[in-house]
């Protein structure tokens, strides 16, 4: 694995653990449909949540949240529609939401900053 892949995998693991700690139930990780991917699919009560995880190990190019583009959110919407169209239990979920978990790691500063943004559109 390359450095960015290791960082991304660590961020997804941290995000998954965090989401479980606050009561989400992880349904699936790294869902792919064509060239699109959703990092984490989870449920939060009767809401299905599609989670984009962004991890940065340096703020040289901005913080993790800064790298979430409108195009990325649009792609998550497309992938979420595809995911839901193939689910038999979709009627169980009364709400659909896209969240972002942005994680900034700094080995130099010895800190981890996690921000959870609900309902990104």
């Amino acid at each position: 694995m390359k450095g960015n892949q290791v960082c991304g995998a660590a961020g997804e693991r941290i995000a998954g653990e965090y989401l479980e700690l606050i009561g989400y139930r992880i349904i699936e990780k790294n869902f792919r449909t064509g060239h699109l991917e959703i990092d984490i699919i989870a449920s939060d009560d009767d809401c299905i949540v599609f989670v984009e995880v962004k991890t940065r190990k340096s703020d040289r190019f901005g913080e993790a949240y800064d790298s979430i583009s409108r195009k990325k959110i649009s792609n998550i919407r497309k992938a979420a529609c595809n995911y839901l169209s193939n689910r038999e239990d979709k009627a169980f979920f009364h709400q659909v939401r896209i969240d972002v978990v942005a994680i900034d790691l700094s080995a130099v500063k010895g800190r981890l900053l996690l921000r959870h943004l609900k309902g990104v559109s």
Side-chain angles (χ1 to χ4, degrees):
M1 254 189 216
K2 295 180 184 176
N4 287 346
Q5 291 172 322
V6 170
C7 180
E12 288 179 16
R13 182 182 46 75
I14 291 166
E17 291 174 5
Y18 160 78
L19 292 170
E20 287 179 326
L21 279 172
I22 64 169
Y24 286 45
R25 184 178 62 81
I26 304 298
I27 298 170
E28 192 166 340
K29 293 182 179 181
N30 301 321
F31 169 77
R32 289 193 163 287
T33 177
H35 68 283
L36 303 174
E37 180 184 16
I38 299 173
D39 295 325
I40 299 173
I41 301 170
S43 64
D44 179 20
D45 294 323
D46 65 348
C47 181
I48 188 164
V49 185
F50 298 94
V51 183
E52 171 66 10
V53 179
K54 217 32 149 170
T55 308
R56 289 264 172 102
K57 55 186 172 185
S58 162
D59 61 2
R60 182 175 173 195
F61 299 107
E63 295 180 337
Y65 177 72
D66 297 330
S67 65
I68 305 294
S69 67
R70 290 180 192 260
K71 181 166 178 55
K72 181 64 178 174
I73 298 301
S74 175
N75 286 340
I76 293 170
R77 272 194 209 103
K78 290 175 190 173
C81 286
N82 189 314
Y83 178 84
L84 289 170
S85 70
N86 294 312
R87 292 284 298 202
E88 292 179 16
D89 64 347
K90 62 185 164 210
F92 172 77
F93 299 107
H94 297 113
Q95 298 176 39
V96 177
R97 191 174 74 221
I98 296 175
D99 287 5
V100 171
V101 174
I103 301 171
D104 291 289
L105 304 170
S106 176
V108 174
K109 296 177 184 174
R111 68 175 173 91
L112 177 149
L113 174 64
L114 184 149
R115 287 183 282 179
H116 180 189
L117 301 125
K118 295 181 180 183
V120 176
S121 54

